Amino acid sequence: MIENLNKVFESRVRLGIMSILMVNEWVEFKALKGLLKVTDGNLASHLSALEKKELLLVHKEFVGKKPRTTYNATAEGRSLFKKHLSALEALINKEK
Amino acid sequence: MDNFSKEEQLQQLSEIRSLMERSSRFISLSGLSGVSAGFTALIGSAIAYWRIEIHTSAAGGYSRYSQYTNSLLLELIFIAIGILVLALSFGAFFTLRESKKQGQSIWDKSSQQLLGSLLIPLVTGGLFCLLLLEHGILGMIAPATLIFYGLALVNASKYTLNDIRSLGFCQIILGLLNAKFMVVGNGILFWTIGFGIMHIVYGIYMHYKYK
């Protein structure tokens, strides 16, 4: 079970990002920032790390003149995150 | 992961759950808004009942819908609007207070989705009731308000606390019962149970459940 714990998610911010993307279709950068209460730079670096691993998709568009960036978890990202969660849960239960 | 203590892992899990809830559902509904809406409805029903009594007894006893004069109908409509405005203001007040406590924004994607899913059945129901009024089918107005309100709650429960769903079903059943046993003066009784008593019971239950 322990081997399912994924190094990619070893950060509070990344765990947070994936949790939000699991239950929402497309989430804006601003919404993520508000929910996670982190700085732009910090959030952006974690997002791009997850994007590189192909765990999430980035979508950029213009609404009027303002750019809007939204994020969506990939199937791969969802399944890895689920495995990570079950592993975390199993670990806690074992230590009880 | 081995370097995380058990408390840290537990805290991670609870944070994950909280983020999932806060990002997809509007959970800052307060039980107190239910209670206040219920009491407003009770007071409103009492006033409406009293006005109907006065008008119909002046017309000679027996209340029949055909005896409802335009001035009485107008009064009842004003009472209904008054209740609605009061109940909504109390609701907004308690919700605002709760959202500050929960640290959830009052105007985000989840609250917009909640409002949208509530408003579609509610506005449809409101227009439908105006048409019933126009055609003089007064006995069906109370059942229709209960049914459409129930549908709105069931619809909106996807975007807020799940408990709202069962409250919605109760309102729908009550509305259908009212439509089945439609006797003059019955509507106000069902209406008092649905909007008054059920809101209060539910509000108290929610208040203690989420305290």
Side-chain angles (χ1 to χ4, degrees), chain B residues 8 12 52 92 97 124 150:
Chain B
E8 278 172 316
Q12 277 183 356
I52 292 171
R97 212 179 60 164
T124 313

Side-chain angles (χ1 to χ4, degrees), chain A residues 5 12 16 19 24 26 91, chain B residues 1 9 15-16 20 23 109:
Chain A
L5 281 175
R12 196 191 70 87
S19 316
N24 291 283
W26 289 94
L91 202 64
Chain B
M1 268 295 159
Q9 288 162 351
E15 198 173 343
I16 288 167
M20 283 181 167
S23 66
K109 212 174 102 194

Side-chain angles (χ1 to χ4, degrees), chain A residues 5 10 12 15-16 19-20 22-24 26 35-37 81 84-85 88 91-92 95-96, chain B residues 1-6 9-10 12-13 15-17 19-24 103 109 113:
Chain A
L5 281 175
E10 268 184 38
R12 196 191 70 87
L15 275 177
S19 316
I20 295 166
M22 288 295 278
V23 290
N24 291 283
W26 289 94
L35 283 161
L36 294 169
K37 298 187 177 67
F81 187 67
H84 180 81
L85 280 190
L88 204 59
L91 202 64
I92 289 167
E95 283 174 20
K96 244 179 211 169
Chain B
M1 268 295 159
D2 307 318
N3 48 355
F4 279 114
S5 74
K6 193 184 163 198
Q9 288 162 351
L10 276 175
Q12 277 183 356
L13 276 186
E15 198 173 343
I16 288 167
R17 170 187 279 173
L19 275 171
M20 283 181 167
E21 282 217 319
R22 270 190 297 144
S23 66
S24 64
K109 212 174 102 194
Q113 280 171 326

Side-chain angles (χ1 to χ4, degrees), chain A residues 37-75:
Chain A
K37 298 187 177 67
V38 284
T39 60
D40 281 19
N42 191 355
L43 180 58
S45 75
H46 284 297
L47 282 168
S48 72
L50 291 170
E51 189 196 354
K52 267 187 201 129
K53 298 261 177 194
E54 294 182 348
L55 303 179
L56 54 79
L57 288 176
V58 186
H59 182 73
K60 287 182 183 170
E61 60 181 345
F62 277 89
V63 182
K65 279 183 180 168
K66 280 185 180 166
R68 185 169 72 177
T69 316
T70 50
Y71 300 87
N72 175 230
T74 59

Side-chain angles (χ1 to χ4, degrees), chain B residues 138-171:
Chain B
L138 303 183
M140 277 295 164
I141 292 180
T145 53
L146 286 167
I147 291 170
F148 279 101
Y149 179 57
L151 289 173
L153 291 182
V154 172
N155 199 32
S157 65
K158 293 192 283 288
Y159 300 113
T160 182
L161 304 171
N162 239 330
D163 314 69
I164 294 293
R165 196 179 167 80
S166 25
L167 176 64
F169 280 124
C170 292
Q171 304 281 8

Side-chain angles (χ1 to χ4, degrees), chain B residues 29-49:
Chain B
L29 284 185
S30 159
L32 293 178
S33 7
V35 176
S36 60
F39 275 111
T40 320
L42 281 186
I43 294 165
S45 313
I47 297 173
Y49 185 76

